[in-house]
Structure formats: structure tokens, C-alpha cells
Amino acid sequence: MTGFLLPNARLTPQEHPGAATSALPPVTVLVPFYRETAAILRRSADMLRSLDYPHDRLSVCWLVDARYPEDVAAAENVAASARADFGGGLRVVPVPSMTPKAKALNHALRSVDDPFVALYDADTVPDPRQLRQAVAALDARGLDVVDAIELPEAGGDLVNRITLAQSAAFFGAMEYVNRRTGMHMLLGSSIYFRRTALSKVGPLSEDGVEELYEWAVRAAAAGVRMGRIVSFSYGTRTSVVGPALRQRTRWIRGQLDIGVRFLGGKPLPARPRTAVALMTLSLLGQLGVLPVTAAAVRYRALRLPAAALLLGEALRVRSVSRDPVWEVLRIGSGWALLLPFELLEATSAWRAVWELATGRDTWHKVRPETGERTT
């Protein structure tokens, strides 16, 4: 997750088309949980109750790793208390494996019959109107897939505000890539599919950790139409630097792996190939900034290139910070510290390279697991 040195493109707030309640179709909602605490399960239950969508047209599947019976039992317990207030279908679905997440999603998708599918992460809380807006946008804009903007919860301590700034900068870079290539890249969650698109492209890749990015590349090559709605979803806040950097190692490793496989393998159509190339070049820029900056201390010839790299990224961050769409995030001083954080994140990028080179497939998790303290 970077966007390093990629130009920023402002997101344009949209008028979301309305849809009569009587015309809203049934939707299957998939939410994977891997070693999550009871607090995260309750958060997801509260999210379901808040959705501005006819609950009787929702079939919700909580996907839980069957290798941990205590996790299945905990999910069943929370689901039992949530069903009365929710009013829709809510099932706990034990899946053979949750590592990677794509295995669980593919397992569940094989039995989905509804025409639309929504994917949320365990801690995702979308705007209550988002599901209704997404379904309406799919029809009004003639799309097969749309996603929303997922971020940590607004405000919070300094670490969280820095990660909010980084998320905003990343989405600005993604918007640039989407406009530059005419192709929409999917990352994160809060993604809404037509079931036919999933059937056309095939299952999510189970070989990496950026399964939706990889699927979007294949979908673009297959002619699937994708887009975004400017609506926010929020995950839990990030308050500790270490877990945040480890999580970024996982994301960067997945994105680098996709770049190597797609750019070095079977030729892609021009649009997805350009999109993957831009994303990969951004990662290479972040890998290079630390060595160049460190070497510039000793070698005068590198001082101008190092200064150009840092100035270019600082100007990009400034451009993102002026986009009014991000004002609701209450980032404040987080903008000023984003560039130092990105330099620190470069160590995560180098760790990702090492993990790829040595074949390590470590799952770096940012939230406490079952049995761990949540404070």
C-alpha cells in the first residue's frame, strides 16, 4: 500500500441514484473472520443492523475457520443474539481454511445464488446507505463491480491520523491510475459484485494476499466493467506503529508478487498492463528512496536526486491534503508526518522483498487475535 510518487487525482463526490425499496434485489453479504475477538464480531453485528437496506433481502454469511472450533462457537454465540434485531438471514459458515482469505471466499461463493454479492472485512463498517447506493450504481452506470473507500476510523491518535493520511494519498494515486489507464483497480473490501462477473472471471487467487487486486487485473482483461462509489467504510483504528508496518509488509509483498507475475508472464491487454506497471513502479520508487537518501549523505552526486524524490513526494502529499473529500477524516498533523512514515514504511517494502525471495508467506495481522488482550 503506497502510491509513492504517483500523481494525485481528486475524487469527485457523486450523486447516487435512488432506488425504490420494492425494486432492491437480494444480496449475499460475505464477511470472513480469522481469529477475531468477540468485540470484532459484535462490531460486525452492529454494522448489519445499521444497513439501510431491506434486511429480509440480505443473506449474511460469517465465514469462520473450522480448524478453530472455539472461534466457530464464539461466532455462533454472537450471531444468535444478533438475529432477533437484524431480521435478515445470518449464518455462521465454517470454512476449511482462512489462510489466505481467498480460500474462504471461494468456498462460500460456490453456493451463492443471489444476483449480487457484497464483501466486507471483519471490522468493516460501511456508511449505512452504501449497500443501497452500490446496487443502484451498478445498474445506473452499467457496471459489473463497484467498490467504496475503506479507511481506519476518523480522528484518533497520531498514528491513526498518519495512516488515514496514507490511505487518502493511496486512494488519490489509485484514482490517477484508474483515469490514466481507463481501468479500475480493486483493493481492500467494501466491494459489490454482480454474481455473473464472478462467474465470468473465475475464482479469487489462493496463492497470494492481494487476491482482489489480482482478480481485478484478470477481470479487466476479460472486459468486466468496474468503478467506485465515493462512499466511506471504516475499519478499526491503528494506534501502534509496529503492527501497522507489518500489515503493510503483507500488502506490499502481494502487490510486488502480482507485478512480477503479470509483467513477466503472459502478455496482458494494454490497460491492465499499464495499471500494474504504474503500481509496480511506485513500489520500486519507495524501495529506492531509503538507499538513495542514505547514500546522498556521503555522495554529493546523489543529493539532487534524493532531494527531488523527497520534494516530489512532499508535493504529492500536499496536493492530497487539499482535497476537500478528506476533510471528514480529521487528519490534522497527520499530513505533516506522512512523508517520514513513508520512509519508515520503506523498511516494510524491503522486508516484503526478502519474504518474496525466501518464499515466506507470513500473515501479518494488525488486530488482536482470539485470546489476546484488545487494549
Side-chain angles (χ1 to χ4, degrees), residues 350-364:
W350 280 106
R351 180 174 178 177
V353 170
W354 174 72
E355 289 183 359
L356 274 177
T358 57
R360 296 174 184 267
D361 193 22
T362 307
W363 181 266
H364 300 288

Side-chain angles (χ1 to χ4, degrees), residues 11 39 43-44 55 61 68 101 117 140 185 236-237 258 276 308 332:
L11 278 71
R43 177 185 173 93
S44 188
H55 291 179
C61 299
Y68 302 98
K101 179 172 62 176
V117 180
M185 305 299 291
T236 50
R237 287 173 174 164
I258 289 169
V276 172

